[in-house]
Amino acid sequence: MKIFETKLELLSYLSSNRGGNTIGFTPTMGSLHNGHLHLIEESKRTCDITICSIFVNPTQFNNDDDLVNYPRTLDVDLQKLRKLNCDVVYTPIISDLYEKREKAKKFDFGALANTMEGEFRPGHFNGMATIVEKFFRIIEPTKAFFGQKDLQQLQIVKVLVKQTWSEIEIVGINTVRDESGLAKSSRNKLLSEKSKKEATLIYESLQYCIEHQSRGVDSLKKYIETQFENHSNFELEYVEFVALEDMLPITNWKGKGKNAICIATYIDDVRLIDNIIL
Ligand code: AMP
């Protein structure tokens, strides 16, 4: 496995190895868990060369504490990637990708970026798209792999590719969960055992909506809000029922597979997000 700390090394590798090979790319912020590894496995399965980046991108954090506290476990991450035979890992420092005092670029993703994560994490999607565009320009992958866990991000990256007339295929990968149903997240490391158990309420609420879909959107939304109000450790930021296509709130179900329910909540001061498509 090649490990490159600079884009010059990565570019030089690519110019000698690209040839007619397909390149699969998975951007991550490290602290890798099975969710990330599932993306890498899919890349290994479908592409000739698999590249993973590990970079905690400062411009997508709208909260300094969150950026400072974000878990960093590079050595263990590299071991996990070696086991999967990942071909290349790119682990740049900030100055390899950003000029001094460079800020996030301003994108226009329309309504897609204004709700939910866009509303509660101002600037987050501009920061995310800034770094993804930089990576795409350096690597020019054939396919890039993103998790459905960050559903709004996945939809925005698809639009980013269209806006930049790029040929990259964006592959969405199902959310990987613990046995309890809790979505794998680097932030789960910051939870106490007690909170980790309680956090299963997130997936249980989503499952409830699948099983009781006929109750309708308004009633289920109220049900979830009440569930979270009854558990004092949670601070529910939002639960939204949206159309998958544009991430805008719905009041009635669209066709099968065209709806999503998205939740963001704090527990123990840790922010968790999850969603299902139904
Ligand atoms: P992050 O390191 O949090 O930026 O995530 C890197 C990629 O892994 C993103 O495309 C995420 O959506 C994806 N990812 C994170 N958690 C999961 C999960 N539990 N299942 C599947 N993909 C995930």
Side-chain angles (χ1 to χ4, degrees):
M1 185 171 82
K2 304 255 184 262
I3 302 167
F4 299 128
E5 291 177 359
T6 67
K7 67 173 174 254
L8 277 183
E9 290 168 290
L10 176 60
L11 283 167
S12 148
Y13 167 89
L14 284 168
S15 74
S16 338
N17 292 276
R18 190 184 299 272
N21 289 319
T22 53
I23 294 182
F25 171 53
T26 302
T28 80
M29 298 203 296
S31 192
L32 301 181
H33 51 67
N34 284 347
H36 297 113
L37 300 183
H38 196 45
L39 272 61
I40 312 280
E41 280 167 348
E42 201 47 28
S43 173
K44 282 294 294 181
R45 206 176 62 76
T46 57
C47 300
D48 300 320
I49 297 176
T50 287
I51 302 181
C52 171
S53 62
I54 298 181
F55 178 64
V56 181
N57 173 37
T59 61
Q60 72 188 68
F61 284 80
N62 55 323
N63 175 326
D64 286 345
D65 283 347
D66 194 19
L67 174 59
V68 171
N69 293 332
Y70 199 84
R72 290 162 170 88
T73 57
L74 184 59
D75 290 344
V76 183
D77 291 348
L78 294 176
Q79 278 173 21
K80 290 180 179 173
L81 291 171
R82 256 192 211 104
K83 270 203 183 143
L84 293 186
N85 289 323
C86 181
D87 301 293
V88 173
V89 189
Y90 175 40
T91 60
I93 56 168
I94 295 175
S95 60
D96 196 45
L97 289 165
Y98 285 101
E99 300 293 327
K100 251 194 186 155
R101 285 185 282 281
E102 182 181 345
K103 297 260 184 316
K105 190 171 151 181
K106 290 201 167 51
F107 292 85
D108 182 6
F109 299 117
L112 198 54
N114 293 339
T115 56
M116 302 189 290
E117 296 301 285
E119 182 183 345
F120 286 94
R121 301 184 70 187
H124 169 68
F125 286 128
N126 279 330
M128 180 279 292
T130 299
I131 194 67
V132 169
E133 189 184 12
K134 282 179 191 279
F135 283 140
F136 283 179
R137 286 194 193 282
I138 297 167
I139 297 171
E140 298 181 33
T142 320
K143 296 181 187 216
F145 298 83
F146 288 83
Q148 186 202 302
K149 155 103 179 352
D150 298 279
L151 183 60
Q152 208 174 358
Q153 164 174 290
L154 170 63
Q155 302 301 65
I156 288 174
V157 171
K158 287 180 185 164
V159 173
L160 173 71
V161 163
K162 275 196 197 134
Q163 286 182 354
T164 50
W165 297 280
S166 153
E167 297 280 304
I168 302 165
E169 181 189 341
I170 303 302
V171 184
I173 303 286
N174 288 345
T175 302
V176 176
R177 301 176 179 281
D178 279 349
E179 279 144 39
S180 66
L182 178 66
K184 296 266 186 195
S185 163
S186 307
R187 292 193 162 94
N188 293 354
K189 289 196 179 113
L190 306 172
L191 294 173
S192 67
E193 279 309 309
K194 178 169 168 276
S195 298
K196 216 183 243 179
K197 278 200 189 116
E198 284 180 345
T200 55
L201 178 69
I202 304 169
Y203 187 57
E204 280 160 16
S205 307
L206 294 171
Q207 278 296 112
Y208 181 93
C209 294
I210 295 183
E211 283 154 26
H212 298 85
Q213 197 173 348
S214 60
R215 277 181 60 172
V217 169
D218 282 352
S219 157
L220 287 172
K221 190 170 176 196
K222 284 197 190 93
Y223 170 83
I224 295 188
E225 283 166 350
T226 310
Q227 288 296 304
F228 279 85
E229 275 162 24
N230 291 342
H231 287 75
S232 57
N233 264 357
F234 286 101
E235 205 182 304
L236 182 66
E237 197 165 63
Y238 63 75
V239 48
E240 289 294 352
F241 290 60
V242 297
L244 189 54
E245 193 187 12
D246 54 17
M247 296 277 123
L248 288 176
I250 51 169
T251 46
N252 292 304
W253 297 117
K254 308 255 173 203
K256 196 170 164 20
K258 295 189 170 163
N259 312 278
I261 309 174
C262 304
I263 292 180
T265 182
Y266 283 91
I267 177 165
D268 269 0
D269 288 332
V270 180
R271 188 173 187 276
L272 300 178
I273 60 170
D274 200 354
N275 68 81
I276 46 164
I277 294 174
L278 72 174

